[in-house]
Amino acid sequence: MIPLEYLLRFVYEDSPYGDVTSEAIIPEDMNAEAVIIAKQDGVIAGVEEARVLFEHFGVKVNVLKKDGEYVKKGEVIAEVKGNARAILLVERTALNIIGRMSGIATETRKLVEKVRKVNPRVKVAGTRKSLLRLIDKRAIMIGGGEPHRFSLSDAILIKDNHLALVPLEEAIKRAKEFSVYKVVEVEVENLEDAVKAAKAGADVIMLDNMKPQEIKEVIEKLRELGLRDGVKIEVSGGITPENIEEYAKLDVDVISLGYLTHSVRNFDVSLEIVKPRVSS
């Protein structure tokens, strides 16, 4: 569950000096009831975050569809009841959170199911290509994927710019000496560096921007050298919903995609007041 303090910043960003429209025209003591409705089919996510926000401002929430459930267009996700101004204050933030998280969860679920049909052992993971880190990572998890690193503090991932400064074997040696508790992952782009990384003791080797045939050759070479079983293989870069099954057919452990957080479309969701209704 995402901390309330993290979520509240979005409400305060949206209303730094209050909701002037509601304060101008809605009576302070007016109550209302509303429903949150799915406008498309998909995996719903972010409902708990929306509930926490509404309840912080005194609005009661009746959750009808839980995070991770598949919903159909037109279904009511939740009912809210309370002060009308409070409902409208939180409305857009709650919908933005549900919309983004559900979009990510829906696409993640699709890719996870695609991969499982080909190779149930392979995990689908996100990346750090996101500023809304907690929201996006939780959405990936709700969709059945792996979050990967939440931050630079979680694991050691030696990338190309690190290797431009420190040789590969030396970088792994230093990383191993730095901490026995941190996973050491190395990003490589060719067979030679993959073998070097495995021999140097990397826990995970990320094969970056390599085509399926190249990845197959790397894995075969690691097996030939007796190095495959001692290392996890992650593939990343250039992987899309259209070609992910080709990568899943390989002897890999993880497929990671920045696509899950930088290119997924928001899920369409709305909030509608059902009581009171004012005739015009």
Side-chain angles (χ1 to χ4, degrees), residues 26 40 48-49 70 75 78 105 121 131 155 167-168 171 205 208 221 224 231 259:
I26 305 295
Q40 65 181 83
E48 275 302 297
E49 283 68 27
Y70 193 86
E75 287 192 305
R121 187 175 63 80
L131 284 175
L168 189 149
I205 297 175
D208 189 43
K221 188 63 176 179
E224 179 186 320
V231 68
Y259 161 83

Side-chain angles (χ1 to χ4, degrees), residues 105-117 124 143 239-242 244-245 257 259-260:
T106 298
E107 193 62 22
T108 300
R109 181 73 57 81
K110 288 179 184 176
L111 297 188
V112 167
E113 289 176 351
K114 267 190 175 184
V115 167
R116 280 178 180 166
K117 288 178 181 177
V124 174
I239 301 171
T240 67
E242 290 72 36
I244 193 169
E245 289 166 300
L257 309 87
Y259 161 83
L260 289 177

